[in-house]
Amino acid sequence: MSSPKLALYYFESCPFCVMVNNLISQLNLDVEMRDIFTNQDHLNKLMADTGKRTVPCLYIDDNPMFESSDIMAWLEENSSNLSKKA
Ligand SMILES: N[C@@H](CCC(=O)N[C@@H](CS)C(=O)NCC(=O)O)C(=O)O
């Protein structure tokens, strides 16, 4: 099974995002980081897709998942099948 493509919508001062980012680092996962504060295109995309501007939001093969606890549980459960950073 191929690894899903992951992208995280976030901003730096969001404490829920920090928790998710820490886990991503700990698991050494290859995740595209999309800062919604510094990149208006990222914010526009998140709002167009979901109708919300809440972060963190993890896109798993372009399917958005909200809630830091759900995101972290999913990353832990699927970590063995996820691409790692080089
Ligand atoms: N229960 C959510 C809380 C997420 C949350 O409150 N995020 C804040 C930033 S720290 C946010 O995006 N607020 C703006 C909004 O929801 O429109 C989680 O754990 O992910």
Side-chain angles (χ1 to χ4, degrees), residues 23-74:
L23 181 62
I24 287 170
S25 296
Q26 190 186 315
L27 298 175
N28 196 35
L29 300 176
D30 184 18
V31 179
E32 181 187 341
M33 303 303 287
R34 298 180 179 169
D35 189 326
I36 65 163
F37 263 23
T38 60
N39 188 321
Q40 185 72 35
D41 290 343
H42 293 334
L43 176 58
N44 291 344
K45 162 89 173 145
L46 180 64
M47 292 188 68
D49 286 352
T50 71
K52 301 199 282 187
R53 55 182 300 151
T54 305
V55 290
C57 180
L58 181 69
Y59 274 48
I60 305 164
D61 281 339
D62 285 329
N63 297 304
M65 173 187 281
F66 288 104
E67 286 302 324
S68 52
S69 55
D70 291 345
I71 293 169
M72 290 190 288
W74 187 91

mmCIF file of all heavy atoms in Angstrom, residues 23-74:
data_model
loop_
_atom_site.group_PDB
_atom_site.id
_atom_site.type_symbol
_atom_site.label_atom_id
_atom_site.label_comp_id
_atom_site.label_asym_id
_atom_site.label_seq_id
_atom_site.Cartn_x
_atom_site.Cartn_y
_atom_site.Cartn_z
ATOM 1 N N LEU A 23 4.619 15.867 17.558
ATOM 2 C CA LEU A 23 4.492 14.432 17.246
ATOM 3 C C LEU A 23 5.041 14.125 15.852
ATOM 4 O O LEU A 23 5.714 13.103 15.646
ATOM 5 C CB LEU A 23 3.025 14.000 17.348
ATOM 6 C CG LEU A 23 2.784 12.523 17.073
ATOM 7 C CD1 LEU A 23 3.509 11.632 18.087
ATOM 8 C CD2 LEU A 23 1.285 12.205 17.061
ATOM 9 N N ILE A 24 4.769 15.022 14.913
ATOM 10 C CA ILE A 24 5.301 14.839 13.549
ATOM 11 C C ILE A 24 6.833 14.770 13.588
ATOM 12 O O ILE A 24 7.447 13.914 12.938
ATOM 13 C CB ILE A 24 4.803 15.979 12.632
ATOM 14 C CG1 ILE A 24 3.320 15.776 12.332
ATOM 15 C CG2 ILE A 24 5.621 16.047 11.346
ATOM 16 C CD1 ILE A 24 2.658 16.947 11.630
ATOM 17 N N SER A 25 7.448 15.648 14.391
ATOM 18 C CA SER A 25 8.912 15.635 14.529
ATOM 19 C C SER A 25 9.382 14.350 15.186
ATOM 20 O O SER A 25 10.345 13.719 14.743
ATOM 21 C CB SER A 25 9.381 16.816 15.374
ATOM 22 O OG SER A 25 9.090 18.009 14.727
ATOM 23 N N GLN A 26 8.700 13.983 16.250
ATOM 24 C CA GLN A 26 9.076 12.776 17.004
ATOM 25 C C GLN A 26 9.017 11.536 16.112
ATOM 26 O O GLN A 26 9.891 10.662 16.183
ATOM 27 C CB GLN A 26 8.098 12.640 18.166
ATOM 28 C CG GLN A 26 8.436 11.617 19.207
ATOM 29 C CD GLN A 26 7.275 11.511 20.205
ATOM 30 O OE1 GLN A 26 6.725 12.520 20.655
ATOM 31 N NE2 GLN A 26 6.888 10.291 20.525
ATOM 32 N N LEU A 27 8.010 11.460 15.268
ATOM 33 C CA LEU A 27 7.849 10.298 14.375
ATOM 34 C C LEU A 27 8.631 10.463 13.077
ATOM 35 O O LEU A 27 8.641 9.562 12.239
ATOM 36 C CB LEU A 27 6.354 10.085 14.063
ATOM 37 C CG LEU A 27 5.455 9.761 15.265
ATOM 38 C CD1 LEU A 27 3.981 9.707 14.830
ATOM 39 C CD2 LEU A 27 5.856 8.437 15.899
ATOM 40 N N ASN A 28 9.261 11.645 12.915
ATOM 41 C CA ASN A 28 10.070 11.945 11.726
ATOM 42 C C ASN A 28 9.264 11.816 10.420
ATOM 43 O O ASN A 28 9.752 11.292 9.414
ATOM 44 C CB ASN A 28 11.298 11.025 11.680
ATOM 45 C CG ASN A 28 12.341 11.544 10.719
ATOM 46 O OD1 ASN A 28 12.526 12.747 10.577
ATOM 47 N ND2 ASN A 28 13.018 10.637 10.021
ATOM 48 N N LEU A 29 8.035 12.307 10.451
ATOM 49 C CA LEU A 29 7.147 12.127 9.295
ATOM 50 C C LEU A 29 7.352 13.220 8.252
ATOM 51 O O LEU A 29 7.659 14.371 8.584
ATOM 52 C CB LEU A 29 5.684 12.148 9.767
ATOM 53 C CG LEU A 29 5.306 11.067 10.772
ATOM 54 C CD1 LEU A 29 3.859 11.253 11.221
ATOM 55 C CD2 LEU A 29 5.521 9.679 10.184
ATOM 56 N N ASP A 30 7.139 12.830 7.017
ATOM 57 C CA ASP A 30 7.248 13.769 5.902
ATOM 58 C C ASP A 30 5.872 14.397 5.666
ATOM 59 O O ASP A 30 4.987 13.765 5.074
ATOM 60 C CB ASP A 30 7.713 13.009 4.652
ATOM 61 C CG ASP A 30 7.937 13.939 3.487
ATOM 62 O OD1 ASP A 30 8.066 15.156 3.708
ATOM 63 O OD2 ASP A 30 7.975 13.437 2.347
ATOM 64 N N VAL A 31 5.698 15.602 6.180
ATOM 65 C CA VAL A 31 4.401 16.290 6.091
ATOM 66 C C VAL A 31 4.634 17.682 5.503
ATOM 67 O O VAL A 31 5.491 18.431 5.996
ATOM 68 C CB VAL A 31 3.743 16.426 7.487
ATOM 69 C CG1 VAL A 31 2.405 17.155 7.381
ATOM 70 C CG2 VAL A 31 3.562 15.064 8.137
ATOM 71 N N GLU A 32 3.886 18.043 4.488
ATOM 72 C CA GLU A 32 3.983 19.400 3.941
ATOM 73 C C GLU A 32 3.313 20.357 4.921
ATOM 74 O O GLU A 32 2.162 20.145 5.315
ATOM 75 C CB GLU A 32 3.282 19.469 2.581
ATOM 76 C CG GLU A 32 3.384 20.842 1.960
ATOM 77 C CD GLU A 32 2.548 20.970 0.706
ATOM 78 O OE1 GLU A 32 2.163 19.943 0.102
ATOM 79 O OE2 GLU A 32 2.258 22.118 0.343
ATOM 80 N N MET A 33 4.026 21.416 5.324
ATOM 81 C CA MET A 33 3.496 22.351 6.308
ATOM 82 C C MET A 33 2.907 23.571 5.588
ATOM 83 O O MET A 33 3.588 24.210 4.781
ATOM 84 C CB MET A 33 4.605 22.788 7.265
ATOM 85 C CG MET A 33 5.290 21.622 7.979
ATOM 86 S SD MET A 33 4.146 20.583 8.919
ATOM 87 C CE MET A 33 3.792 21.676 10.284
ATOM 88 N N ARG A 34 1.658 23.870 5.884
ATOM 89 C CA ARG A 34 0.964 24.976 5.218
ATOM 90 C C ARG A 34 0.499 25.987 6.269
ATOM 91 O O ARG A 34 -0.555 25.803 6.895
ATOM 92 C CB ARG A 34 -0.217 24.444 4.407
ATOM 93 C CG ARG A 34 0.230 23.490 3.296
ATOM 94 C CD ARG A 34 -0.943 22.970 2.500
ATOM 95 N NE ARG A 34 -0.506 22.087 1.423
ATOM 96 C CZ ARG A 34 -1.323 21.330 0.692
ATOM 97 N NH1 ARG A 34 -2.634 21.358 0.917
ATOM 98 N NH2 ARG A 34 -0.850 20.549 -0.263
ATOM 99 N N ASP A 35 1.292 27.044 6.434
ATOM 100 C CA ASP A 35 1.007 28.085 7.429
ATOM 101 C C ASP A 35 -0.092 29.011 6.896
ATOM 102 O O ASP A 35 0.096 29.672 5.870
ATOM 103 C CB ASP A 35 2.307 28.854 7.704
ATOM 104 C CG ASP A 35 2.183 29.816 8.873
ATOM 105 O OD1 ASP A 35 1.089 30.398 9.074
ATOM 106 O OD2 ASP A 35 3.185 29.999 9.578
ATOM 107 N N ILE A 36 -1.209 29.065 7.608
ATOM 108 C CA ILE A 36 -2.338 29.880 7.113
ATOM 109 C C ILE A 36 -2.177 31.360 7.461
ATOM 110 O O ILE A 36 -2.947 32.189 6.981
ATOM 111 C CB ILE A 36 -3.703 29.362 7.627
ATOM 112 C CG1 ILE A 36 -3.811 29.501 9.149
ATOM 113 C CG2 ILE A 36 -3.957 27.940 7.171
ATOM 114 C CD1 ILE A 36 -5.252 29.388 9.652
ATOM 115 N N PHE A 37 -1.205 31.706 8.320
ATOM 116 C CA PHE A 37 -0.967 33.113 8.645
ATOM 117 C C PHE A 37 -0.045 33.765 7.627
ATOM 118 O O PHE A 37 -0.214 34.932 7.297
ATOM 119 C CB PHE A 37 -0.360 33.248 10.041
ATOM 120 C CG PHE A 37 -1.373 33.554 11.105
ATOM 121 C CD1 PHE A 37 -2.717 33.248 10.950
ATOM 122 C CD2 PHE A 37 -0.975 34.169 12.293
ATOM 123 C CE1 PHE A 37 -3.651 33.525 11.931
ATOM 124 C CE2 PHE A 37 -1.892 34.456 13.287
ATOM 125 C CZ PHE A 37 -3.237 34.128 13.104
ATOM 126 N N THR A 38 0.941 33.028 7.168
ATOM 127 C CA THR A 38 1.938 33.622 6.274
ATOM 128 C C THR A 38 1.613 33.386 4.809
ATOM 129 O O THR A 38 2.271 33.947 3.939
ATOM 130 C CB THR A 38 3.342 33.065 6.572
ATOM 131 O OG1 THR A 38 3.324 31.655 6.370
ATOM 132 C CG2 THR A 38 3.765 33.373 7.996
ATOM 133 N N ASN A 39 0.624 32.552 4.525
ATOM 134 C CA ASN A 39 0.303 32.247 3.131
ATOM 135 C C ASN A 39 -1.221 32.297 2.927
ATOM 136 O O ASN A 39 -1.944 31.381 3.350
ATOM 137 C CB ASN A 39 0.855 30.868 2.759
ATOM 138 C CG ASN A 39 0.726 30.580 1.270
ATOM 139 O OD1 ASN A 39 -0.270 30.929 0.656
ATOM 140 N ND2 ASN A 39 1.729 29.929 0.707
ATOM 141 N N GLN A 40 -1.677 33.355 2.314
ATOM 142 C CA GLN A 40 -3.120 33.559 2.116
ATOM 143 C C GLN A 40 -3.730 32.445 1.261
ATOM 144 O O GLN A 40 -4.893 32.074 1.457
ATOM 145 C CB GLN A 40 -3.347 34.917 1.448
ATOM 146 C CG GLN A 40 -4.805 35.307 1.296
ATOM 147 C CD GLN A 40 -5.472 35.691 2.614
ATOM 148 O OE1 GLN A 40 -4.838 36.277 3.488
ATOM 149 N NE2 GLN A 40 -6.750 35.348 2.763
ATOM 150 N N ASP A 41 -2.961 31.906 0.331
ATOM 151 C CA ASP A 41 -3.478 30.819 -0.517
ATOM 152 C C ASP A 41 -3.850 29.606 0.330
ATOM 153 O O ASP A 41 -4.842 28.922 0.060
ATOM 154 C CB ASP A 41 -2.429 30.394 -1.553
ATOM 155 C CG ASP A 41 -2.215 31.457 -2.619
ATOM 156 O OD1 ASP A 41 -3.083 32.353 -2.747
ATOM 157 O OD2 ASP A 41 -1.186 31.389 -3.310
ATOM 158 N N HIS A 42 -3.035 29.331 1.345
ATOM 159 C CA HIS A 42 -3.335 28.185 2.217
ATOM 160 C C HIS A 42 -4.631 28.430 2.985
ATOM 161 O O HIS A 42 -5.466 27.527 3.117
ATOM 162 C CB HIS A 42 -2.184 27.938 3.197
ATOM 163 C CG HIS A 42 -0.919 27.467 2.531
ATOM 164 N ND1 HIS A 42 -0.911 26.787 1.336
ATOM 165 C CD2 HIS A 42 0.375 27.571 2.903
ATOM 166 C CE1 HIS A 42 0.337 26.499 1.004
ATOM 167 N NE2 HIS A 42 1.132 26.959 1.929
ATOM 168 N N LEU A 43 -4.784 29.639 3.513
ATOM 169 C CA LEU A 43 -6.015 29.966 4.243
ATOM 170 C C LEU A 43 -7.221 29.875 3.306
ATOM 171 O O LEU A 43 -8.258 29.295 3.658
ATOM 172 C CB LEU A 43 -5.920 31.371 4.847
ATOM 173 C CG LEU A 43 -7.175 31.863 5.562
ATOM 174 C CD1 LEU A 43 -7.588 30.933 6.691
ATOM 175 C CD2 LEU A 43 -6.974 33.284 6.095
ATOM 176 N N ASN A 44 -7.092 30.421 2.121
ATOM 177 C CA ASN A 44 -8.199 30.376 1.159
ATOM 178 C C ASN A 44 -8.595 28.937 0.827
ATOM 179 O O ASN A 44 -9.775 28.604 0.732
ATOM 180 C CB ASN A 44 -7.814 31.108 -0.126
ATOM 181 C CG ASN A 44 -7.687 32.602 0.088
ATOM 182 O OD1 ASN A 44 -8.150 33.136 1.095
ATOM 183 N ND2 ASN A 44 -7.042 33.289 -0.846
ATOM 184 N N LYS A 45 -7.603 28.097 0.635
ATOM 185 C CA LYS A 45 -7.864 26.693 0.283
ATOM 186 C C LYS A 45 -8.587 25.985 1.431
ATOM 187 O O LYS A 45 -9.570 25.254 1.222
ATOM 188 C CB LYS A 45 -6.530 26.006 -0.034
ATOM 189 C CG LYS A 45 -6.528 24.498 -0.011
ATOM 190 C CD LYS A 45 -6.874 23.903 -1.343
ATOM 191 C CE LYS A 45 -6.696 22.380 -1.315
ATOM 192 N NZ LYS A 45 -7.709 21.714 -2.139
ATOM 193 N N LEU A 46 -8.091 26.205 2.661
ATOM 194 C CA LEU A 46 -8.718 25.560 3.828
ATOM 195 C C LEU A 46 -10.177 25.985 3.953
ATOM 196 O O LEU A 46 -11.072 25.146 4.161
ATOM 197 C CB LEU A 46 -7.936 25.924 5.100
ATOM 198 C CG LEU A 46 -8.440 25.333 6.408
ATOM 199 C CD1 LEU A 46 -8.337 23.804 6.401
ATOM 200 C CD2 LEU A 46 -7.682 25.912 7.600
ATOM 201 N N MET A 47 -10.426 27.289 3.785
ATOM 202 C CA MET A 47 -11.797 27.789 3.925
ATOM 203 C C MET A 47 -12.679 27.319 2.778
ATOM 204 O O MET A 47 -13.858 26.979 2.973
ATOM 205 C CB MET A 47 -11.782 29.312 4.026
ATOM 206 C CG MET A 47 -11.152 29.761 5.334
ATOM 207 S SD MET A 47 -11.305 31.520 5.628
ATOM 208 C CE MET A 47 -13.052 31.682 5.882
ATOM 209 N N ALA A 48 -12.136 27.266 1.577
ATOM 210 C CA ALA A 48 -12.933 26.820 0.425
ATOM 211 C C ALA A 48 -13.314 25.344 0.571
ATOM 212 O O ALA A 48 -14.430 24.937 0.247
ATOM 213 C CB ALA A 48 -12.129 27.033 -0.864
ATOM 214 N N ASP A 49 -12.383 24.543 1.082
ATOM 215 C CA ASP A 49 -12.638 23.103 1.191
ATOM 216 C C ASP A 49 -13.549 22.755 2.353
ATOM 217 O O ASP A 49 -14.344 21.818 2.280
ATOM 218 C CB ASP A 49 -11.320 22.346 1.401
ATOM 219 C CG ASP A 49 -10.485 22.267 0.144
ATOM 220 O OD1 ASP A 49 -10.971 22.657 -0.934
ATOM 221 O OD2 ASP A 49 -9.326 21.803 0.249
ATOM 222 N N THR A 50 -13.377 23.475 3.484
ATOM 223 C CA THR A 50 -14.020 23.017 4.724
ATOM 224 C C THR A 50 -15.031 24.006 5.287
ATOM 225 O O THR A 50 -15.782 23.644 6.186
ATOM 226 C CB THR A 50 -12.949 22.762 5.820
ATOM 227 O OG1 THR A 50 -12.416 24.021 6.265
ATOM 228 C CG2 THR A 50 -11.825 21.874 5.303
ATOM 229 N N GLY A 51 -14.994 25.251 4.820
ATOM 230 C CA GLY A 51 -15.885 26.274 5.378
ATOM 231 C C GLY A 51 -15.411 26.776 6.730
ATOM 232 O O GLY A 51 -16.123 27.517 7.404
ATOM 233 N N LYS A 52 -14.206 26.345 7.147
ATOM 234 C CA LYS A 52 -13.678 26.757 8.453
ATOM 235 C C LYS A 52 -12.239 27.222 8.302
ATOM 236 O O LYS A 52 -11.576 26.919 7.312
ATOM 237 C CB LYS A 52 -13.699 25.570 9.439
ATOM 238 C CG LYS A 52 -15.066 25.000 9.668
ATOM 239 C CD LYS A 52 -15.120 24.179 10.931
ATOM 240 C CE LYS A 52 -14.520 22.804 10.778
ATOM 241 N NZ LYS A 52 -14.735 21.974 11.972
ATOM 242 N N ARG A 53 -11.793 27.958 9.352
ATOM 243 C CA ARG A 53 -10.377 28.358 9.371
ATOM 244 C C ARG A 53 -9.697 27.789 10.614
ATOM 245 O O ARG A 53 -8.725 28.330 11.119
ATOM 246 C CB ARG A 53 -10.249 29.876 9.304
ATOM 247 C CG ARG A 53 -11.023 30.615 10.373
ATOM 248 C CD ARG A 53 -10.900 32.112 10.213
ATOM 249 N NE ARG A 53 -9.520 32.527 10.301
ATOM 250 C CZ ARG A 53 -9.001 33.597 9.696
ATOM 251 N NH1 ARG A 53 -9.770 34.371 8.963
ATOM 252 N NH2 ARG A 53 -7.740 33.922 9.836
ATOM 253 N N THR A 54 -10.255 26.718 11.119
ATOM 254 C CA THR A 54 -9.716 26.095 12.327
ATOM 255 C C THR A 54 -8.493 25.250 11.996
ATOM 256 O O THR A 54 -8.498 24.487 11.029
ATOM 257 C CB THR A 54 -10.798 25.202 12.983
ATOM 258 O OG1 THR A 54 -11.962 25.981 13.224
ATOM 259 C CG2 THR A 54 -10.299 24.606 14.286
ATOM 260 N N VAL A 55 -7.471 25.414 12.828
ATOM 261 C CA VAL A 55 -6.277 24.589 12.720
ATOM 262 C C VAL A 55 -5.994 23.971 14.093
ATOM 263 O O VAL A 55 -6.422 24.517 15.106
ATOM 264 C CB VAL A 55 -5.054 25.418 12.236
ATOM 265 C CG1 VAL A 55 -5.210 25.813 10.794
ATOM 266 C CG2 VAL A 55 -4.801 26.625 13.122
ATOM 267 N N PRO A 56 -5.296 22.856 14.148
ATOM 268 C CA PRO A 56 -4.695 22.142 13.032
ATOM 269 C C PRO A 56 -5.734 21.393 12.204
ATOM 270 O O PRO A 56 -6.774 20.955 12.703
ATOM 271 C CB PRO A 56 -3.750 21.147 13.730
ATOM 272 C CG PRO A 56 -4.416 20.879 15.046
ATOM 273 C CD PRO A 56 -5.034 22.177 15.457
ATOM 274 N N CYS A 57 -5.396 21.250 10.918
ATOM 275 C CA CYS A 57 -6.190 20.424 10.014
ATOM 276 C C CYS A 57 -5.204 19.627 9.159
ATOM 277 O O CYS A 57 -4.376 20.212 8.460
ATOM 278 C CB CYS A 57 -7.090 21.303 9.149
ATOM 279 S SG CYS A 57 -8.112 20.341 8.010
ATOM 280 N N LEU A 58 -5.302 18.314 9.264
ATOM 281 C CA LEU A 58 -4.408 17.437 8.497
ATOM 282 C C LEU A 58 -5.132 16.943 7.255
ATOM 283 O O LEU A 58 -6.218 16.359 7.359
ATOM 284 C CB LEU A 58 -3.982 16.235 9.343
ATOM 285 C CG LEU A 58 -3.024 15.253 8.651
ATOM 286 C CD1 LEU A 58 -1.645 15.886 8.451
ATOM 287 C CD2 LEU A 58 -2.909 13.960 9.440
ATOM 288 N N TYR A 59 -4.532 17.218 6.105
ATOM 289 C CA TYR A 59 -5.069 16.654 4.860
ATOM 290 C C TYR A 59 -4.387 15.316 4.604
ATOM 291 O O TYR A 59 -3.154 15.235 4.540
ATOM 292 C CB TYR A 59 -4.786 17.594 3.682
ATOM 293 C CG TYR A 59 -5.821 18.680 3.493
ATOM 294 C CD1 TYR A 59 -6.255 19.447 4.556
ATOM 295 C CD2 TYR A 59 -6.341 18.946 2.231
ATOM 296 C CE1 TYR A 59 -7.193 20.455 4.377
ATOM 297 C CE2 TYR A 59 -7.285 19.953 2.036
ATOM 298 C CZ TYR A 59 -7.704 20.702 3.117
ATOM 299 O OH TYR A 59 -8.634 21.696 2.928
ATOM 300 N N ILE A 60 -5.202 14.286 4.465
ATOM 301 C CA ILE A 60 -4.715 12.938 4.191
ATOM 302 C C ILE A 60 -5.202 12.597 2.790
ATOM 303 O O ILE A 60 -6.402 12.383 2.581
ATOM 304 C CB ILE A 60 -5.277 11.926 5.215
ATOM 305 C CG1 ILE A 60 -4.960 12.386 6.643
ATOM 306 C CG2 ILE A 60 -4.736 10.525 4.934
ATOM 307 C CD1 ILE A 60 -5.773 11.683 7.720
ATOM 308 N N ASP A 61 -4.282 12.618 1.825
ATOM 309 C CA ASP A 61 -4.690 12.473 0.422
ATOM 310 C C ASP A 61 -5.852 13.417 0.092
ATOM 311 O O ASP A 61 -6.861 13.008 -0.494
ATOM 312 C CB ASP A 61 -5.082 11.023 0.111
ATOM 313 C CG ASP A 61 -3.861 10.151 -0.103
ATOM 314 O OD1 ASP A 61 -2.774 10.678 -0.409
ATOM 315 O OD2 ASP A 61 -4.004 8.921 0.051
ATOM 316 N N ASP A 62 -5.706 14.663 0.533
ATOM 317 C CA ASP A 62 -6.679 15.720 0.239
ATOM 318 C C ASP A 62 -7.999 15.606 1.000
ATOM 319 O O ASP A 62 -8.941 16.339 0.702
ATOM 320 C CB ASP A 62 -6.943 15.834 -1.265
ATOM 321 C CG ASP A 62 -5.790 16.508 -1.985
ATOM 322 O OD1 ASP A 62 -5.124 17.362 -1.357
ATOM 323 O OD2 ASP A 62 -5.550 16.180 -3.149
ATOM 324 N N ASN A 63 -8.067 14.710 1.978
ATOM 325 C CA ASN A 63 -9.251 14.646 2.838
ATOM 326 C C ASN A 63 -8.924 15.303 4.175
ATOM 327 O O ASN A 63 -8.033 14.838 4.892
ATOM 328 C CB ASN A 63 -9.666 13.187 3.078
ATOM 329 C CG ASN A 63 -10.058 12.505 1.792
ATOM 330 O OD1 ASN A 63 -10.933 12.975 1.080
ATOM 331 N ND2 ASN A 63 -9.390 11.408 1.470
ATOM 332 N N PRO A 64 -9.617 16.393 4.525
ATOM 333 C CA PRO A 64 -9.281 17.116 5.749
ATOM 334 C C PRO A 64 -9.737 16.417 7.024
ATOM 335 O O PRO A 64 -10.868 15.916 7.100
ATOM 336 C CB PRO A 64 -10.009 18.460 5.584
ATOM 337 C CG PRO A 64 -11.070 18.230 4.576
ATOM 338 C CD PRO A 64 -10.660 17.058 3.729
ATOM 339 N N MET A 65 -8.853 16.412 8.027
ATOM 340 C CA MET A 65 -9.193 15.896 9.358
ATOM 341 C C MET A 65 -8.908 17.006 10.374
ATOM 342 O O MET A 65 -7.802 17.544 10.429
ATOM 343 C CB MET A 65 -8.348 14.665 9.697
ATOM 344 C CG MET A 65 -8.534 14.174 11.126
ATOM 345 S SD MET A 65 -7.384 12.846 11.588
ATOM 346 C CE MET A 65 -8.165 11.450 10.825
ATOM 347 N N PHE A 66 -9.917 17.359 11.188
ATOM 348 C CA PHE A 66 -9.752 18.328 12.261
ATOM 349 C C PHE A 66 -9.547 17.596 13.591
ATOM 350 O O PHE A 66 -9.634 16.375 13.645
ATOM 351 C CB PHE A 66 -10.998 19.223 12.360
ATOM 352 C CG PHE A 66 -11.127 20.208 11.226
ATOM 353 C CD1 PHE A 66 -12.037 19.992 10.200
ATOM 354 C CD2 PHE A 66 -10.352 21.357 11.191
ATOM 355 C CE1 PHE A 66 -12.171 20.899 9.153
ATOM 356 C CE2 PHE A 66 -10.488 22.269 10.148
ATOM 357 C CZ PHE A 66 -11.398 22.037 9.129
ATOM 358 N N GLU A 67 -9.321 18.374 14.622
ATOM 359 C CA GLU A 67 -9.165 17.927 16.015
ATOM 360 C C GLU A 67 -7.778 17.330 16.260
ATOM 361 O O GLU A 67 -7.465 16.220 15.793
ATOM 362 C CB GLU A 67 -10.243 16.905 16.433
ATOM 363 C CG GLU A 67 -11.599 17.519 16.662
ATOM 364 C CD GLU A 67 -11.565 18.610 17.739
ATOM 365 O OE1 GLU A 67 -10.808 18.474 18.711
ATOM 366 O OE2 GLU A 67 -12.266 19.609 17.581
ATOM 367 N N SER A 68 -6.997 18.061 17.040
ATOM 368 C CA SER A 68 -5.613 17.637 17.301
ATOM 369 C C SER A 68 -5.552 16.222 17.877
ATOM 370 O O SER A 68 -4.669 15.440 17.505
ATOM 371 C CB SER A 68 -4.937 18.630 18.243
ATOM 372 O OG SER A 68 -5.716 18.834 19.403
ATOM 373 N N SER A 69 -6.471 15.876 18.766
ATOM 374 C CA SER A 69 -6.407 14.534 19.382
ATOM 375 C C SER A 69 -6.678 13.445 18.331
ATOM 376 O O SER A 69 -6.016 12.400 18.337
ATOM 377 C CB SER A 69 -7.391 14.421 20.547
ATOM 378 O OG SER A 69 -8.690 14.750 20.126
ATOM 379 N N ASP A 70 -7.619 13.701 17.428
ATOM 380 C CA ASP A 70 -7.900 12.732 16.362
ATOM 381 C C ASP A 70 -6.716 12.630 15.401
ATOM 382 O O ASP A 70 -6.351 11.538 14.948
ATOM 383 C CB ASP A 70 -9.154 13.136 15.572
ATOM 384 C CG ASP A 70 -10.423 12.999 16.393
ATOM 385 O OD1 ASP A 70 -10.383 12.331 17.445
ATOM 386 O OD2 ASP A 70 -11.454 13.573 15.996
ATOM 387 N N ILE A 71 -6.132 13.787 15.082
ATOM 388 C CA ILE A 71 -4.983 13.809 14.167
ATOM 389 C C ILE A 71 -3.813 13.026 14.772
ATOM 390 O O ILE A 71 -3.202 12.172 14.108
ATOM 391 C CB ILE A 71 -4.551 15.265 13.876
ATOM 392 C CG1 ILE A 71 -5.635 15.982 13.073
ATOM 393 C CG2 ILE A 71 -3.215 15.290 13.138
ATOM 394 C CD1 ILE A 71 -5.437 17.494 12.953
ATOM 395 N N MET A 72 -3.534 13.281 16.046
ATOM 396 C CA MET A 72 -2.395 12.596 16.680
ATOM 397 C C MET A 72 -2.654 11.097 16.802
ATOM 398 O O MET A 72 -1.749 10.284 16.570
ATOM 399 C CB MET A 72 -2.096 13.231 18.041
ATOM 400 C CG MET A 72 -1.502 14.627 17.887
ATOM 401 S SD MET A 72 -0.853 15.327 19.416
ATOM 402 C CE MET A 72 -2.360 15.687 20.284
ATOM 403 N N ALA A 73 -3.867 10.718 17.123
ATOM 404 C CA ALA A 73 -4.187 9.286 17.207
ATOM 405 C C ALA A 73 -4.016 8.634 15.842
ATOM 406 O O ALA A 73 -3.454 7.525 15.729
ATOM 407 C CB ALA A 73 -5.623 9.109 17.718
ATOM 408 N N TRP A 74 -4.463 9.327 14.797
ATOM 409 C CA TRP A 74 -4.336 8.756 13.442
ATOM 410 C C TRP A 74 -2.866 8.618 13.045
ATOM 411 O O TRP A 74 -2.463 7.596 12.476
ATOM 412 C CB TRP A 74 -5.099 9.624 12.437
ATOM 413 C CG TRP A 74 -5.140 9.011 11.073
ATOM 414 C CD1 TRP A 74 -6.098 8.166 10.577
ATOM 415 C CD2 TRP A 74 -4.151 9.172 10.034
ATOM 416 N NE1 TRP A 74 -5.755 7.786 9.296
ATOM 417 C CE2 TRP A 74 -4.574 8.386 8.938
ATOM 418 C CE3 TRP A 74 -2.964 9.889 9.930
ATOM 419 C CZ2 TRP A 74 -3.859 8.303 7.749
ATOM 420 C CZ3 TRP A 74 -2.239 9.804 8.746
ATOM 421 C CH2 TRP A 74 -2.688 9.016 7.677
#
